[in-house]
Amino acid sequence: MTATRTWESLTIPAAGTYNLDAAHTRIGFVVKHMMVSKVRGNFGSFAGSVTIAENPLESTAEVTIQTDSITTGMADRDNHLRSDDFLSVEKFPQITFKSTRVVGHSGDEFTVVGDLTIRDVTKEVELTVEYGGAGTNPWGQALWGFSISTEFDREEFGLTWNQALETGGVLVGKKVKIEIEGEANPA
């Protein structure tokens, strides 16, 4: 099997299914705090796959994230994020994403639409996927890289907890930015 092929001047992976490499993938997020700064965090436990089609614009992807693996580096904040005020990890142990279509591309940037489910609420989101290239690691295994970003209103998924500030505004911003950097290997 050939590890790569050329498509529209890009060297892309051969058609097939590829799993996210958890050791080289980070699923992160950014949220405004007190209207003045940003809090960053990530999920440490997840699994996902991408099936690259013969026509790359027909490719699909899906990811399952374990909500209890959320971390921001502060135990009290992480416990609050796991509580019923936010992710309610006991009731909703997973966040899922399943692509529904690739709606376009320009060079190495693709626009992917899919269904994001948080707290049993499913909404369509649009991802910007930057293809990072393909290669072979020193042990002969094929791999390819990517960067993904999107932004959504957390309140649309039932994540409505907040606290008003005396100076105006709120403690936690409504917009959540997702930042994923990673690699995928043949399944």
Side-chain angles (χ1 to χ4, degrees), residues 7-56:
W7 177 79
E8 293 194 10
S9 76
L10 291 175
T11 300
I12 65 168
T17 300
Y18 298 81
N19 291 329
L20 298 185
D21 179 348
H24 298 101
T25 299
R26 180 181 184 275
I27 298 178
F29 60 89
V30 181
V31 180
K32 278 276 210 177
H33 179 252
M34 294 191 62
M35 313 283 296
V36 298
S37 65
K38 296 175 182 175
V39 169
R40 295 181 184 277
N42 68 283
F43 293 92
S45 181
F46 55 86
S49 64
V50 178
T51 299
I52 304 290
E54 283 298 329
N55 173 357

Side-chain angles (χ1 to χ4, degrees), residues 92-107:
F92 308 106
Q94 298 177 332
I95 294 170
T96 61
F97 174 80
K98 185 172 176 78
S99 68
T100 55
R101 63 198 180 280
V102 179
V103 295
H105 86 97
S106 176

Side-chain angles (χ1 to χ4, degrees), residues 115-180:
D115 293 328
L116 176 64
T117 302
I118 302 172
R119 291 179 59 114
D120 278 352
V121 176
T122 301
K123 299 281 183 185
E124 189 174 83
V125 297
E126 186 175 282
L127 309 178
T128 299
V129 180
E130 181 184 343
Y131 171 65
T136 304
N137 70 21
W139 301 273
Q141 185 180 39
L143 59 87
W144 57 275
F146 54 87
S147 297
I148 301 170
S149 63
T150 192
E151 187 174 274
F152 60 85
D153 182 336
R154 66 183 177 86
E155 292 183 352
E156 292 181 2
F157 291 92
L159 301 167
T160 58
W161 183 91
N162 224 328
Q163 188 171 348
L165 300 174
E166 286 182 25
T167 56
V170 291
L171 185 65
V172 182
K174 288 173 44 169
K175 296 292 183 185
V176 177
K177 183 174 183 180
I178 302 296
E179 302 173 329
I180 304 172

Side-chain angles (χ1 to χ4, degrees), residues 47-121:
S49 64
V50 178
T51 299
I52 304 290
E54 283 298 329
N55 173 357
L57 299 178
E58 297 174 359
S59 299
T60 60
E62 55 185 53
V63 177
T64 300
I65 300 167
Q66 302 307 314
T67 56
D68 65 355
S69 72
I70 193 170
T71 181
T72 63
M74 297 289 297
D76 287 346
R77 179 172 47 220
D78 296 347
N79 288 333
H80 191 202
L81 291 171
R82 291 182 187 108
S83 78
D84 289 342
D85 285 344
F86 288 97
L87 293 174
S88 191
V89 301
E90 296 294 323
K91 292 180 200 156
F92 308 106
Q94 298 177 332
I95 294 170
T96 61
F97 174 80
K98 185 172 176 78
S99 68
T100 55
R101 63 198 180 280
V102 179
V103 295
H105 86 97
S106 176
D108 63 358
E109 191 172 285
F110 295 79
T111 303
V112 177
V113 173
D115 293 328
L116 176 64
T117 302
I118 302 172
R119 291 179 59 114
D120 278 352
V121 176

